[in-house]
Amino acid sequence: MDKQESLRKEILQAHHHRFATKSFNSEKKIDEADWLTIMEAARLSPSSFGYEPWKFLLVENKQVKDDLQEIAWGAQNSLNGASHFLIVLARKNVTGDSAHVKHMVEDVFGVPYSESAPQTIFFNNFQKNDFDLTDERKLFDWASKQTYIALANMMTTAAYLGIDSCPIEGFDKVAVERYLAEQNIIDLTEFGVSYMAGFGYRAQERPEKKRQKMTDIYEVIE
Ligand SMILES: Cc1cc2nc3c(=O)[nH]c(=O)nc-3n(C[C@H](O)[C@H](O)[C@H](O)COP(=O)(O)O)c2cc1C
């Protein structure tokens, strides 16, 4: 087997290895260096215009985990057994004139920011005319979509490292956000909850993968 072929095999093995784990072994903890590799995969994820509209909360607090059980039905398995439990936030109101865009441009990209700079005008134009990102909900959903790229990268990286995961949308978004705000964990003017995810080690067999056929989902336009 040549190098490329074994690489292909390795990649697909990781994808077959991953499944939405319902039962975690609560005794088994993720090694810190492995966890930081998963988080680095999140940090390096691409985002629209490079504005990184996200934040990742690792929940270690037992009381917070217990309280979330009530309002996050899809997270109960992870809250009870996963080694690491993440709540991923999407930024609200990421517009050309927002403090976040100014921060990214000046502090991260290291270039001067101006509301009348061609880059800002281009971004405003993209948001309003190309993608109709014209109200708070649309802007949140656009930011939220981008956080899912980090989710995929984290889950695949974990699978490579033999670590299991479960993506979670099974929660009452309004109730979870209200709770996190009451606990002073998030500022709702800046962030909303996008998804949650558990990471750890399986305490179950992987069920058979059920997927549509390639010919059902993939078409070449010649
Ligand atoms: C965005 C998203 C949200 C999900 N929410 C939950 C959830 O709340 N709880 C859960 O146990 N599984 C959840 N899943 C897992 C899916 O049910 C699972 O990925 C799908 O059935 C395919 O199976 P597999 O991932 O095991 O191959 C979610 C998956 C995605 C991508």
Side-chain angles (χ1 to χ4, degrees), residues 85-119:
F85 185 81
L86 274 188
I87 299 177
V88 178
L89 309 178
R91 264 194 187 277
K92 293 179 175 173
N93 299 312
V94 176
T95 52
D97 61 355
S98 64
H100 178 68
V101 165
K102 186 169 186 290
H103 158 67
M104 289 302 299
V105 171
E106 288 182 341
D107 305 331
V108 181
F109 307 155
V111 295
Y113 168 85
S114 148
E115 275 186 33
S116 56
Q119 172 79 0

Side-chain angles (χ1 to χ4, degrees), residues 18-20 22 73-75 77 148 166-170 209 211:
R18 188 213 58 78
F19 74 104
K22 310 292 177 199
W73 52 268
N77 296 322
Y148 282 75
C166 185
I168 298 157
E169 275 183 341
K209 277 238 174 276
R211 290 294 189 272

Side-chain angles (χ1 to χ4, degrees), residues 6-15 17-18 153-164:
S6 64
L7 199 52
R8 284 188 213 114
K9 219 174 149 202
E10 211 177 295
I11 289 167
L12 292 184
Q13 262 168 4
H15 284 279
H17 181 80
R18 188 213 58 78
N153 286 340
M154 288 190 289
M155 293 195 300
T156 305
T157 303
Y160 252 104
L161 295 168
I163 293 166
D164 297 307

Side-chain angles (χ1 to χ4, degrees), residues 4-217:
Q4 200 64 9
E5 198 182 334
S6 64
L7 199 52
R8 284 188 213 114
K9 219 174 149 202
E10 211 177 295
I11 289 167
L12 292 184
Q13 262 168 4
H15 284 279
H16 280 283
H17 181 80
R18 188 213 58 78
F19 74 104
T21 304
K22 310 292 177 199
S23 175
F24 285 96
N25 177 351
S26 58
E27 304 294 310
K28 222 170 151 192
K29 297 295 166 206
I30 298 172
D31 173 88
E32 182 67 1
D34 281 349
W35 177 249
L36 292 178
T37 302
I38 293 168
M39 282 313 304
E40 188 65 353
R43 195 178 73 91
L44 293 174
S45 294
S47 57
S48 184
F49 286 78
Y51 290 153
E52 303 175 31
W54 49 50
K55 187 159 180 181
F56 302 83
L57 304 178
L58 175 65
V59 182
E60 293 186 335
N61 185 289
K62 169 94 172 59
Q63 187 62 54
V64 172
K65 282 185 176 179
D66 286 348
D67 293 344
L68 284 172
Q69 304 259 9
E70 312 272 306
I71 44 180
W73 52 268
Q76 284 165 0
N77 296 322
S78 290
L79 287 164
N80 284 318
S83 163
H84 286 56
F85 185 81
L86 274 188
I87 299 177
V88 178
L89 309 178
R91 264 194 187 277
K92 293 179 175 173
N93 299 312
V94 176
T95 52
D97 61 355
S98 64
H100 178 68
V101 165
K102 186 169 186 290
H103 158 67
M104 289 302 299
V105 171
E106 288 182 341
D107 305 331
V108 181
F109 307 155
V111 295
Y113 168 85
S114 148
E115 275 186 33
S116 56
Q119 172 79 0
T120 317
I121 291 166
F122 189 79
F123 179 60
N124 288 339
N125 190 48
F126 155 77
Q127 287 204 314
K128 288 196 181 69
N129 303 324
D130 295 332
F131 253 57
D132 189 33
L133 300 169
T134 46
D135 65 35
E136 267 193 38
R137 178 69 202 229
K138 287 173 183 171
L139 281 166
F140 176 78
D141 288 345
W142 169 72
S144 183
K145 280 200 283 187
Q146 297 174 57
T147 68
Y148 282 75
I149 300 170
L151 171 65
N153 286 340
M154 288 190 289
M155 293 195 300
T156 305
T157 303
Y160 252 104
L161 295 168
I163 293 166
D164 297 307
S165 60
C166 185
I168 298 157
E169 275 183 341
F171 57 88
D172 178 337
K173 182 174 178 292
V174 173
V176 168
E177 288 178 345
R178 194 187 308 124
Y179 170 75
L180 294 174
E182 277 164 12
Q183 301 296 314
N184 290 319
I185 294 171
I186 69 172
D187 175 354
L188 290 179
T189 62
E190 266 199 280
F191 291 104
V193 174
S194 186
Y195 58 81
M196 303 172 180
F199 294 87
Y201 292 92
R202 67 187 70 179
Q204 65 174 118
E205 293 284 307
R206 175 176 66 76
E208 187 200 341
K209 277 238 174 276
K210 300 219 166 117
R211 290 294 189 272
Q212 296 177 77
K213 290 201 265 324
M214 188 64 89
T215 47
D216 292 340
I217 60 153

